[in-house]
Amino acid sequence: MIELAVLDMAGTTIDDGGAVYVALRECVEAHGVTVTDERLQAWMGTDKRTAIDALLGDLATPDLVEKTYADFSSRLETSYLARPPTPIPGVPEALAELRASGVKVVLTTGFAHDVADPLLAAIGWTPGLAGAPVDALVCADDVAAGRPAPYMIFRAMELAGVLSPTRVAVAGDTHVDVLAGSNAGAAIVAGVLTGALPAEVLGTARHTHLLASVADLPALIRQT
């Protein structure tokens, strides 16, 4: 029986129009580094400071990474003001159905809290507030290492009081989302196709299911 759904944010439960990857590319390319689609794809879903450090390559220093991260956050904030993120269609209803059936919902993200908290507040999903469809949030700065390490999932289990990964479903739209679920030993590891990656690309990461959307997760859990 599944007791916990651990779900990624941008591209999985929230539609931000791909703004995070535009901001990530632009803040790095501002330093004269070319970021190809392949290089960007390799760092989708990861901790953003780690991604910036890797994308800067030989230019990376601790000070430059922090400066570039601040630029990333500023660009993303500007983008979100121009086009506010919204829940992916069908996802709020799916989250409500999961929680009504006794499944707890925890969001995880490669964002730090300084980006993730205002984003959830803007759509009314702040954990703990009345009407919020999620039980908790785990960010990259809550754990020792971000995806594909399983630590955010283990932290979500701790917060939800779930003892075994065999009681956990994980869903995300990037390779590292799926790999983190597999590394955690989750019973369900679902790649979802609402992000930037098509099925033939996302499906190369070890998974148990590919879904069109998190909206399809409650039906999958009922069948498990």
Side-chain angles (χ1 to χ4, degrees), residues 7-189:
L7 311 174
D8 175 55
M9 284 176 48
T12 299
T13 53
I14 298 171
D15 177 11
D16 76 341
V20 58
Y21 300 119
V22 173
L24 183 59
R25 169 178 263 149
E26 288 180 347
C27 74
V28 172
E29 290 191 335
H31 298 287
V33 177
T34 298
V35 179
T36 65
D37 289 346
E38 287 185 353
R39 290 189 71 208
L40 187 65
Q41 181 179 306
W43 293 98
M44 287 180 174
T46 62
D47 169 66
K48 297 305 174 283
R49 284 184 172 88
T50 301
I52 288 168
D53 185 280
L55 292 171
L56 284 172
D58 292 341
L59 292 179
T61 65
D63 286 346
L64 185 59
V65 169
E66 285 304 311
K67 178 181 178 182
T68 307
Y69 178 80
D71 183 24
F72 161 77
S73 297
S74 177
R75 290 173 186 269
L76 192 61
E77 181 180 10
T78 298
S79 179
Y80 284 172
L81 287 172
R83 183 193 181 278
T86 58
I88 288 173
V91 168
E93 294 82 1
L95 302 187
E97 182 177 345
L98 288 172
R99 296 178 84 212
S101 68
V103 177
K104 293 185 178 179
V105 175
V106 177
L107 299 183
T108 61
T109 178
F111 295 146
H113 277 282
D114 61 340
V115 174
D117 290 344
L119 172 56
L120 290 190
I123 61 173
W125 283 15
T126 299
L129 291 187
V134 299
D135 295 286
L137 167 68
V138 180
C139 293
D141 52 347
D142 289 323
V143 293
R147 307 169 183 133
Y151 305 138
M152 285 199 288
I153 296 169
F154 294 154
R155 176 61 175 153
M157 292 171 59
E158 180 183 4
L159 293 172
V162 173
L163 300 180
S164 172
T166 62
R167 304 286 187 172
V168 178
V170 174
D173 67 300
T174 70
H175 279 109
V176 294
D177 295 330
V178 175
L179 290 173
S182 295
N183 289 337
I188 293 174
V189 180

